[in-house]
Amino acid sequence: HSQFLQHLLICFSRNKHLDKVHVVLGNKTCDLDSLISALTYAYYLEKVSPPNILCLPVLNIPRREFCYCTETRFILEELNLPESLHIFCDEINLYQLNNEGKLSLTLVNSSALTSEDKNLESAVVRVINPEERCDGNLETSASSSSLVAKEILQEAPELITRQLAHLLRGSILSLAMDPEQITRDQEEVLSKLEEKFPELLPREDIITALQEVHLHADGLRIEEAMLKDLKEVSDGEIKVAVSTVYMNLEVRRKRLVMGLFSFAHGVVCCIA
């Protein structure tokens, strides 16, 4: 998969006058499920699309904010997929491509564009969103990785390599650390990947490694943690930012209060 990303990066840098570009865009949180889904689906599209269409996975954050995605960064480094191989949203002019009629857009792990990207709606040709497939049950541990893997296994199973199976399987298991959380669709996909590549590590080993990564990735400053899990809610006129921070209040109360004060002060200054 690293060779695929290197190939895309070369094509993107050399072709300043692209004919058609099909961008696969994840969500703003840039979590592992979103990123692996975008990489995998772009790989699939590149193999089945006409040669005049460049299919690109684009991380939906500026490159400078990738430092907040500690778990995702750590896992990609472990898989030899360094940051330098990825294209970020601030490195490609999607608006210009859309205005020129060259852009097709597939959204993964998100059913809608953010308010600042609304002008790109005309380019959206596909939405792969697990929330639309869980029958209204918010307790369901859905993942876009399982939807992407299921489609490729049905349409072009020969494209699933061992590394790709490893990526997809790890992404699915990262959202379902407890075996009871694995949905029927996810179990079907996991079983097919394991049947195709029986030499893959046991699920228990993958889950243990993911848990260790979570502990290893801890330690962000308050400002970084709040930006990492920042989510936007908007009615078109008013925009509200909501962040989630997990920590032991008894141990880190002073640090939390000071960090929140610093973060809020910075936001007020930016608005002013």
Side-chain angles (χ1 to χ4, degrees):
H1 214 66
S2 59
Q3 293 178 343
F4 163 69
L5 291 174
Q6 288 174 342
H7 166 72
L8 290 184
L9 202 59
I10 292 172
C11 291
F12 176 65
S13 61
R14 289 181 178 177
N15 290 273
K16 300 302 181 182
H17 303 289
L18 300 168
D19 292 330
K20 294 288 184 180
V21 182
H22 193 147
V23 168
V24 184
L25 192 67
N27 61 29
K28 284 288 187 181
T29 61
C30 200
D31 56 68
L32 188 64
D33 181 45
S34 175
L35 189 145
I36 296 300
S37 300
L39 294 181
T40 304
Y41 198 68
Y43 170 78
Y44 166 65
L45 288 176
E46 181 71 13
K47 296 296 184 181
V48 301
S49 298
N52 66 321
I53 300 178
L54 181 63
C55 302
L56 292 174
V58 174
L59 278 63
N60 199 10
I61 57 172
R63 183 178 290 273
R64 66 180 180 277
E65 294 182 8
F66 195 52
C67 62
Y68 305 139
C69 306
T70 49
E71 294 176 32
T72 302
R73 285 174 54 221
F74 183 84
I75 291 173
L76 291 182
E77 289 170 3
E78 290 292 298
L79 296 171
N80 295 318
L81 294 174
E83 177 184 339
S84 59
L85 295 180
H86 302 295
I87 299 172
F88 294 80
C89 65
D90 59 335
E91 298 170 340
I92 180 171
N93 194 331
L94 298 179
Y95 300 99
Q96 180 178 341
L97 289 171
N98 191 34
N99 290 336
E100 295 173 352
K102 297 179 179 181
L103 179 66
S104 296
L105 195 59
T106 290
L107 306 179
V108 294
N109 214 335
S110 177
S111 59
L113 294 164
T114 56
S115 58
E116 61 264 30
D117 292 332
K118 286 295 183 181
N119 292 335
L120 298 175
E121 283 186 342
S122 60
V124 176
V125 296
R126 178 82 190 277
V127 175
I128 302 174
N129 183 26
E131 292 181 2
E132 297 177 353
R133 301 286 296 274
C134 63
D135 300 324
N137 180 9
L138 298 179
E139 298 297 323
T140 302
S141 179
S143 73
S144 55
S145 295
S146 60
L147 299 181
V148 169
K150 184 175 183 179
E151 180 172 339
I152 300 177
L153 285 167
Q154 290 175 343
E155 302 297 330
E158 70 280 3
L159 296 181
I160 300 287
T161 63
R162 185 182 183 278
Q163 186 184 27
L164 206 58
H166 182 62
L167 289 173
L168 289 166
R169 191 160 163 263
S171 179
I172 294 169
L173 290 173
S174 71
L175 294 178
M177 294 292 197
D178 187 334
E180 294 182 359
Q181 292 181 320
I182 297 177
T183 67
R184 186 181 305 172
D185 285 346
Q186 288 173 338
E187 179 58 44
E188 180 183 349
V189 169
L190 289 170
S191 297
K192 287 183 177 180
L193 293 175
E194 291 161 357
E195 181 180 348
K196 188 176 179 65
F197 299 99
E199 69 274 17
L200 289 171
L201 291 173
R203 295 185 191 182
E204 295 77 14
D205 292 354
I206 298 295
I207 291 174
T208 299
L210 289 169
Q211 290 172 338
E212 291 177 354
V213 166
H214 179 73
L215 294 175
H216 176 90
D218 196 11
L220 289 175
R221 299 195 308 270
I222 293 296
E223 309 94 283
E224 294 174 334
M226 295 192 73
L227 287 171
K228 173 186 175 183
D229 291 319
L230 188 68
K231 295 178 177 61
E232 173 196 318
V233 179
S234 175
D235 64 355
E237 296 182 0
I238 299 176
K239 184 189 297 184
V240 178
V242 180
S243 292
T244 303
V245 179
Y246 298 93
M247 62 170 55
N248 187 324
L249 290 179
E250 292 300 322
V251 174
R252 305 186 184 180
R253 181 173 311 205
K254 183 177 180 181
R255 178 185 169 207
L256 174 64
V257 172
M258 295 302 295
L260 287 175
F261 176 80
S262 175
F263 179 79
H265 178 71
V267 170
V268 171
C269 289
C270 289
I271 294 175

